[in-house]
Amino acid sequence: MSRKTSLSGFHEWLPQERLVELHVLHTLAEVFELHGFANIETRAVEPLGTLLRKGEIDKEVYTVSRIHDTEAPDPTDTSRLALHFDLTVPFARYVTENAGHLAFPFRRYQIQKVWRGERPQEGRAREFTQADIDIVGDGALDFRHDIDVALVMAEALSRLPIGQFLIRINNRKLAEGFYRGIGLEDTAGVLRNIDKLEKIGAAQVSQGLQDELGASPQQAEQALALAQIRAEDSSFVDEVRALGVQNELLDEGLRELAEVIDELHKRVPGTAVADLSIARGLDYYTGTVYETNLVGHEELGSICSGGRYDALATKGKRTFPGVGLSIGVTRLLSRLFSQQLVEASRSVPTTVYVALTSDEDWSAAQDIAQALRTRGIKTEVATKAEKFGKQIRHADRRGIPYVWFTTSENDIVTHEVKDIRSGEQVPADPNTWLPPQEDLTPQIKQLDPTHAAAQR
Amino acid sequence: MSRKTSLSGFHEWLPQERLVELHVLHTLAEVFELHGFANIETRAVEPLGTLLRKGEIDKEVYTVSRIHDTEAPDPTDTSRLALHFDLTVPFARYVTENAGHLAFPFRRYQIQKVWRGERPQEGRAREFTQADIDIVGDGALDFRHDIDVALVMAEALSRLPIGQFLIRINNRKLAEGFYRGIGLEDTAGVLRNIDKLEKIGAAQVSQGLQDELGASPQQAEQALALAQIRAEDSSFVDEVRALGVQNELLDEGLRELAEVIDELHKRVPGTAVADLSIARGLDYYTGTVYETNLVGHEELGSICSGGRYDALATKGKRTFPGVGLSIGVTRLLSRLFSQQLVEASRSVPTTVYVALTSDEDWSAAQDIAQALRTRGIKTEVATKAEKFGKQIRHADRRGIPYVWFTTSENDIVTHEVKDIRSGEQVPADPNTWLPPQEDLTPQIKQLDPTHAAAQR
C-alpha cells in the first residue's frame, strides 16, 4: 500500500479496496451458509477475566474505560473491560451464556474485528478482521466434524481471488502420544519447541529440547524425525510406524489424522497435507490442528488456523467440545494489496450516471433512474445541467461506465446510453435496457503475479 | 427480549434474531448501492482530540489503553485513543486524510458499531450499530443532494419489516432566520430550548426562552408558533409567512425546505412532513435537518436522523460540505424484538439435512450435499447413522425443513426428501430437486402488532 495510515497498525481501505474485502467477506459468508453455519456477532468487549482465562496475557490486550474514570487502573481487577483479541474466547462465553437457546451441534460463523496491541508489521495489525467457523457440541462432538470444517474452509478459500493455498494438518494426540512413547512427558514443552522449527531450524530445536526438557540426543532426534514427516495421503502412517514408537494415544491420533487426510485427498486433492511439524501455540487444542499457507507467500505465516478443543467452554458439569478454523482476513488482504495481486474494476458501485439536459429535468431524471434500479442497475443522477462533456468527465473520473442522455425535440423524447470506455452511444429504453452482466457490479480481478512484480 | 445480557447495555442477538438483523443490513446495503453509495469502514478508535473536536464530551466516550499502561490517565492528553461514538466524525477524518484518493461528490455508506458509556435503557445501548449514508463535496455540494439522501432513506426504510415511519424535516436557516427576524440573536440557545418541546411541553419551553435568553413573552410565543407548524407539502410556507417575520436567511430556508418537501410529497407521499419543531442537538448542522419516527412508537425517539453540514470536514483552506442520515439499527431492532413485531422463520440457514442409512455412507452423503449446494440449497450432513426418527427429530429441533434419505436395495439407489413440517416424503434427484423459493432462505416475517400484543 502506498498510503500511510494515520494510526500505526490500524488499516483503513479505500473504497476500491473495500470492494475487494466485501467480495471476500460475501464469498465466505455464502460458502459458510451453504454448509449450514448460522451467523452471530458478539460484543467487542469482555471482562478481562474472561479474556485472560486461558493465560493469553502475551496478546497485549487493549483495556477500555469510561472517560470520566481518571484513577490509575487496578491491575488485579479482572472485571475491567477489554477489547476481544480473537473470536473464539467470546464465542465460548456466548455458548455457555445462551446454551438454553441454542440447538447442538451448533454451527456458527462470525466475521468481526479484533484488537491486539502488538508492534505493527506486515501480517500483524492492531485492528484486524477475522472470519471464523466453529461447530460446538453439547457433551460430545462427532470426530467427522474435524473433516467437515476443513472441507468447508477448502471450498471457501478456493473461491477467493488468492491463488493456491495449502492446509497443513496435524493431530495433538498423535504428537503427544509419540512424545510419551519416547519418554518425553512434558508434551506441551516439546510442542512449544517444535513450534519454532520453521523459525530457528532443527539444530537449535534439538538443543532446546535437550537444554530445556532434559531430552537425550536420541529423544530429540526422534521428536524431530516425527516433525519432518509430510504427506498428501495416509502414507504418513507407515512413516511414523517406521520410527518404532508404541503408544495408544499415538494410535488414536494416527487413525484420526489418516481419516481427515484421506477424505480431503479424495474430495479436494492438492489443497491439504498431513504435516507433523504443525504444533499451534494455543494450549486448548486437543486433537486435529490446522494451519494454512498461501503458496509462494509462506513467510506471511498462516492465513487460516484452528483445531479441535475438547473443553474450551464449560458450564458447571456440562462441557462443550468444538472444532473450528479462523481466517485472518486483514493479513490476507494486506498481502494481496501490497503485491498488487487483486483489484476491483472500479471504485463505485454505480453503473449508470443519468446526465441532465436542463436543470428542470432533475425530477424526470429521477424517474429514469428508478426505472433502471428496478432491474438492479445501480444509478446516480446528475444535479446540474452542465455541458455534456463535463458530465461525462465527471462520470469517468468516478469510474462509472455508462452515461444516460435524455433529449427532447418537438415533444419527442429520445433516450440514449453511452459506454464511456468505448465511446459507443446507442438508443435505449429505461424500462428494458440492461448492461452486460459484468458491468452490473464492480468485478474483482485476480492479477498475474509476474505482471504485478514487473510493475513494481 | 426475555434474555438478560451479561453486560448491561451490550446486546447480543441469538442466531434467529441475527438473521433479522442481517436481513435489515443487507436490504440497506442493497438500496444504498443501487443509489451509487460506496461502502467504507473506519477504524474503531480515534484520538480523543478528533472525537472531542465538536465539544461532544457529554457522549461518555470510552477510552482505550494497552493493558501494560498502568498509570493514571492524563485528562489533558488528547492523543489518547478512544472508541468512536458515531460514524460522522470518523468519516470526516477519513475524508480529509484520503481526499487525494477520492472522487467528489463522494457518496459513501458505512455500517458499523459505535460505543457510548451512557446509562442503558430501551433505545440506548452502550454498543450499537449505525447505518449511515453521506454525500460529501469538495468546496461545494449542490442542494439537491439534501433531497437525494432523504429519498434514498425513504426507499430503504420502506423496504424494512418495520411498518410505517415518518421523516420529519426542518431547516436550520429557516429557524435561525426566523429567530433573528424576531430579535433573538442567540439562535443556538433558542434551538436548544425548542429541542425540549416534546419532552417538557410549550409552557416550560416558553419559560426557558424568557429566563435563559431574556426573550419577551411575545418573542417566546412566536418561536413556539413556528415550532407548531407541520405540513405534508409546501403549504407550511404560507403559515410561516402569516407570522409576519422578515429575514433573508428565513427566505432561503423556506425555499430549501419547500423544495425538499414538494419532491418527497410527489415521489414518496405519506412518508415525510415539514415539521418546524425539529431542532437536532448537534451544532454542526447548517441547513436541512431530519428526524424519523416509527409510527406508533414515537416515544422511542428518532430511528433515522441527520442533516446538512457546510463544514464538518476541513483541510487547510479546503472545506468539505456534506449531507447525510444515520439509522440507529440496534435501537430499531430492540423495539421490534421486544414487542415481537418481526421474526425469522427458522434459526439456521440450512434447508436440507442429509440423513445417513449407515455410518459408511458419510462420504457419499457429502456428494449429495455438494450436488444440492451447487443450486444454492443450504445443506448439512448427519455424522451418525442413528434411527431415522432420531435424525428427523434432530433436524426438526434445529428448524431445518427437509430431510434427505438415500436407501439402496439390490444395488438400486433410491433418493427421497421429506418435508418434516407436512410429513410429505417424495422421490427426488439430488441433481435437479429444488425446494419452493421461500424455503431456500429463512424468511423474515413482519408480525401483526395486535396479535403480538395479545401474546404478551
Side-chain angles (χ1 to χ4, degrees):
Chain A
M1 289 153 296
S2 53
R3 290 169 308 123
K4 288 266 281 187
T5 54
S6 60
L7 264 186
S8 177
F10 291 83
H11 292 282
E12 288 183 325
W13 307 126
L14 289 173
Q16 197 151 357
E17 295 166 329
R18 173 65 178 162
L19 279 169
V20 176
E21 183 173 50
L22 279 178
H23 170 78
V24 165
L25 300 180
H26 288 165
T27 304
L28 294 176
E30 192 187 333
V31 174
F32 299 160
E33 291 188 5
L34 271 177
H35 288 262
F37 288 82
N39 186 241
I40 65 157
E41 287 196 338
T42 54
R43 61 191 188 218
V45 299
E46 298 289 340
L48 258 183
T50 303
L51 293 182
L52 303 182
R53 202 157 45 99
K54 295 282 157 185
E56 290 278 329
I57 41 164
D58 60 325
K59 285 286 181 245
E60 292 274 4
V61 171
Y62 280 114
T63 57
V64 167
S65 23
R66 293 173 61 182
I67 193 169
H68 300 301
D69 297 340
T70 47
E71 281 169 41
D74 171 3
T76 64
D77 176 9
T78 55
S79 71
R80 288 158 65 201
L81 297 183
L83 296 173
H84 57 214
F85 58 78
D86 75 359
L87 301 177
T88 311
V89 174
F91 174 56
R93 195 258 317 143
Y94 178 94
V95 166
T96 53
E97 215 167 280
N98 297 297
H101 301 273
L102 305 172
F104 295 94
F106 178 41
R107 301 163 76 88
R108 86 86 175 77
Y109 76 95
Q110 192 170 344
I111 300 177
Q112 282 186 258
K113 298 218 170 100
V114 306
W115 295 269
R116 296 183 193 176
E118 294 180 297
R119 199 150 57 90
Q121 59 189 80
E122 202 195 343
R124 273 175 207 268
R126 290 179 157 178
E127 175 179 69
F128 55 100
T129 299
Q130 288 193 329
D132 284 26
I133 56 170
D134 285 270
I135 306 175
V136 169
D138 184 358
L141 184 73
D142 198 280
F143 168 71
R144 278 176 164 157
H145 294 292
D146 291 34
I147 308 173
D148 195 11
V149 291
L151 285 172
V152 174
M153 275 303 190
E155 182 179 335
L157 291 169
S158 72
R159 287 178 53 182
L160 299 183
I162 60 173
Q164 226 190 317
F165 60 90
L166 189 65
I167 307 178
R168 300 157 70 199
I169 311 180
N170 196 1
N171 188 298
R172 276 282 166 88
K173 293 175 189 168
L174 190 166
E176 290 185 21
F178 186 91
Y179 303 150
R180 292 217 176 99
I182 59 173
L184 292 174
E185 290 298 326
D186 180 1
T187 57
V190 185
L191 281 168
R192 211 170 39 241
N193 277 278
I194 292 292
D195 204 20
K196 300 179 200 156
L197 191 55
E198 276 182 26
K199 234 184 239 169
I200 64 175
Q204 289 217 49
V205 168
S206 172
Q207 204 55 53
L209 289 169
Q210 295 175 54
D211 296 351
E212 264 182 53
L213 305 174
S216 70
Q218 289 72 24
Q219 285 174 323
E221 198 183 314
Q222 277 193 295
L224 279 165
L226 183 76
Q228 262 133 31
I229 294 172
R230 197 178 154 118
E232 274 196 19
D233 53 33
S234 53
S235 62
F236 72 89
V237 176
D238 289 341
E239 293 185 61
V240 177
R241 292 281 178 228
L243 296 176
V245 178
Q246 298 296 329
N247 178 281
E248 259 182 47
L249 195 60
L250 166 63
D251 293 344
E252 197 182 326
L254 283 169
R255 253 194 327 272
E256 286 190 359
L257 185 56
E259 200 177 329
V260 172
I261 288 298
D262 278 339
E263 193 68 29
L264 286 166
H265 184 57
K266 179 180 150 197
R267 308 194 72 84
V268 286
T271 63
V273 291
D275 184 331
L276 277 49
S277 71
I278 297 300
R280 299 291 310 142
L282 300 168
D283 291 340
Y284 47 70
Y285 294 124
T286 52
T288 313
V289 286
Y290 318 84
E291 289 197 356
T292 309
N293 287 127
L294 207 52
V295 173
H297 303 270
E298 285 75 9
E299 79 288 359
L300 185 62
S302 177
I303 56 156
C304 177
S305 316
R308 152 76 70 154
Y309 35 89
D310 275 343
L312 182 72
T314 54
K315 185 178 188 175
K317 286 187 181 163
R318 212 166 154 191
T319 65
F320 300 93
V323 61
L325 280 157
S326 170
I327 300 180
V329 177
T330 304
R331 172 179 290 196
L332 190 56
L333 288 173
S334 300
R335 173 55 65 113
L336 297 179
F337 291 145
S338 72
Q339 303 210 350
Q340 297 173 275
L341 296 173
V342 66
E343 69 175 25
S345 60
R346 55 185 201 250
S347 65
V348 288
T350 318
T351 302
V352 176
Y353 186 73
V354 181
L356 293 187
T357 306
S358 91
D359 278 338
E360 288 68 46
D361 292 343
W362 189 75
S363 192
Q366 288 284 348
D367 291 333
I368 295 166
Q370 274 310 82
L372 295 171
R373 288 180 193 128
T374 55
R375 290 191 304 289
I377 304 169
K378 302 172 175 86
T379 306
E380 287 176 40
V381 177
T383 50
K384 273 207 196 95
E386 295 171 307
K387 283 188 182 152
F388 281 165
K390 203 167 171 190
Q391 296 189 62
I392 292 169
R393 274 200 305 283
H394 171 76
D396 193 28
R397 209 178 62 240
R398 300 196 50 231
I400 304 171
Y402 295 93
V403 179
W404 192 279
F405 298 101
T406 306
T407 46
S408 110
E409 211 167 328
N410 304 329
D411 282 343
I412 298 170
V413 176
T414 313
H415 294 284
E416 290 188 287
V417 66
K418 184 190 197 80
D419 181 335
I420 56 180
R421 295 158 302 185
S422 67
E424 194 191 16
Q425 184 164 337
V426 295
D429 180 339
N431 295 307
T432 57
W433 179 80
L434 268 179
Q437 183 67 28
E438 69 267 24
D439 285 337
L440 272 176
T441 287
Q443 299 296 301
I444 307 304
K445 290 178 292 188
Q446 205 173 331
L447 304 176
D448 178 8
T450 1
H451 171 74
Q455 279 195 327
R456 276 201 306 276
Chain B
M1 287 153 296
S2 52
R3 289 170 309 122
K4 287 266 284 187
T5 54
S6 60
L7 263 185
S8 176
F10 291 83
H11 291 282
E12 288 184 324
W13 306 128
L14 290 173
Q16 196 151 357
E17 295 167 329
R18 173 64 176 162
L19 279 169
V20 176
E21 183 173 50
L22 280 178
H23 170 78
V24 165
L25 300 180
H26 288 164
T27 304
L28 293 177
E30 192 187 333
V31 173
F32 298 159
E33 291 187 8
L34 272 177
H35 289 262
F37 289 81
N39 185 239
I40 65 158
E41 287 196 336
T42 56
R43 62 192 187 219
V45 299
E46 299 288 340
L48 259 183
T50 303
L51 293 182
L52 304 183
R53 202 157 45 97
K54 297 281 158 183
E56 290 278 328
I57 40 164
D58 60 326
K59 285 282 180 253
E60 290 275 3
V61 172
Y62 279 113
T63 58
V64 167
S65 26
R66 293 173 61 183
I67 193 170
H68 301 301
D69 297 340
T70 47
E71 281 169 42
D74 171 3
T76 65
D77 176 8
T78 56
S79 72
R80 288 159 66 200
L81 298 183
L83 296 172
H84 58 213
F85 59 79
D86 75 1
L87 301 177
T88 311
V89 173
F91 173 57
R93 194 260 315 143
Y94 178 95
V95 166
T96 53
E97 214 167 281
N98 297 297
H101 299 273
L102 304 172
F104 294 94
F106 177 42
R107 301 163 77 87
R108 86 84 176 78
Y109 76 95
Q110 192 169 346
I111 300 177
Q112 282 185 260
K113 298 218 168 101
V114 305
W115 295 269
R116 295 183 193 175
E118 295 180 296
R119 200 149 58 91
Q121 58 189 82
E122 203 196 342
R124 272 173 208 270
R126 288 178 160 180
E127 174 178 70
F128 55 99
T129 299
Q130 290 194 327
D132 284 27
I133 56 170
D134 284 271
I135 306 173
V136 168
D138 183 359
L141 183 72
D142 197 281
F143 167 72
R144 277 176 164 158
H145 295 291
D146 290 35
I147 308 173
D148 196 10
V149 291
L151 284 172
V152 175
M153 275 302 189
E155 182 178 335
L157 292 170
S158 72
R159 287 178 52 184
L160 300 183
I162 60 172
Q164 225 192 316
F165 60 89
L166 188 65
I167 307 177
R168 300 156 71 198
I169 310 179
N170 195 1
N171 188 297
R172 276 281 167 88
K173 292 175 190 168
L174 190 167
E176 290 186 22
F178 186 91
Y179 303 150
R180 291 218 177 98
I182 58 172
L184 292 173
E185 290 299 325
D186 180 1
T187 57
V190 184
L191 281 169
R192 211 169 41 241
N193 278 278
I194 291 291
D195 205 18
K196 300 180 201 155
L197 190 54
E198 276 182 25
K199 233 184 242 168
I200 63 174
Q204 288 218 48
V205 169
S206 172
Q207 204 57 50
L209 289 169
Q210 295 175 55
D211 296 350
E212 264 183 53
L213 306 174
S216 70
Q218 290 72 25
Q219 285 173 322
E221 197 183 317
Q222 277 193 296
L224 280 166
L226 183 76
Q228 263 132 29
I229 294 172
R230 198 179 155 117
E232 275 198 20
D233 54 32
S234 53
S235 62
F236 73 88
V237 176
D238 289 341
E239 292 185 60
V240 177
R241 291 279 179 233
L243 298 175
V245 178
Q246 298 295 329
N247 178 282
E248 259 182 49
L249 194 61
L250 167 63
D251 293 343
E252 198 182 325
L254 283 170
R255 253 194 327 272
E256 287 190 359
L257 185 56
E259 201 176 328
V260 172
I261 287 298
D262 278 339
E263 195 68 29
L264 285 166
H265 183 59
K266 178 180 151 198
R267 307 195 73 84
V268 285
T271 63
V273 291
D275 183 332
L276 276 53
S277 71
I278 297 298
R280 300 292 309 140
L282 299 168
D283 292 339
Y284 47 70
Y285 294 123
T286 52
T288 313
V289 284
Y290 318 83
E291 289 196 0
T292 308
N293 288 126
L294 207 52
V295 173
H297 304 269
E298 285 75 9
E299 77 290 359
L300 185 62
S302 177
I303 55 156
C304 177
S305 316
R308 151 78 71 153
Y309 35 87
D310 275 342
L312 181 70
T314 53
K315 185 178 190 174
K317 286 187 180 161
R318 212 166 155 192
T319 65
F320 300 94
V323 63
L325 280 156
S326 172
I327 299 180
V329 177
T330 304
R331 171 178 291 196
L332 191 53
L333 287 174
S334 299
R335 173 56 64 113
L336 297 179
F337 293 146
S338 72
Q339 304 211 347
Q340 297 173 273
L341 296 173
V342 66
E343 69 175 24
S345 59
R346 55 186 200 247
S347 66
V348 289
T350 318
T351 302
V352 176
Y353 186 72
V354 181
L356 293 187
T357 307
S358 91
D359 277 341
E360 288 67 49
D361 292 345
W362 190 74
S363 193
Q366 287 284 347
D367 291 334
I368 295 167
Q370 275 308 86
L372 294 172
R373 288 179 192 129
T374 55
R375 291 191 304 288
I377 303 170
K378 301 171 177 86
T379 306
E380 286 176 41
V381 177
T383 51
K384 273 205 199 97
E386 296 171 305
K387 285 193 179 143
F388 281 168
K390 203 168 172 190
Q391 296 190 60
I392 292 170
R393 275 199 303 284
H394 172 77
D396 194 28
R397 211 178 59 240
R398 299 195 52 231
I400 304 172
Y402 295 92
V403 179
W404 192 278
F405 299 101
T406 307
T407 47
S408 113
E409 210 168 328
N410 303 326
D411 283 345
I412 299 171
V413 175
T414 313
H415 293 285
E416 291 189 285
V417 64
K418 183 191 197 78
D419 181 334
I420 56 180
R421 297 158 301 187
S422 67
E424 194 191 17
Q425 184 164 336
V426 294
D429 181 340
N431 295 306
T432 56
W433 179 79
L434 268 178
Q437 183 68 29
E438 68 267 23
D439 285 337
L440 271 176
T441 287
Q443 300 295 301
I444 307 304
K445 291 177 293 188
Q446 206 173 327
L447 304 177
D448 179 7
T450 359
H451 170 73
Q455 278 196 324
R456 276 201 307 276

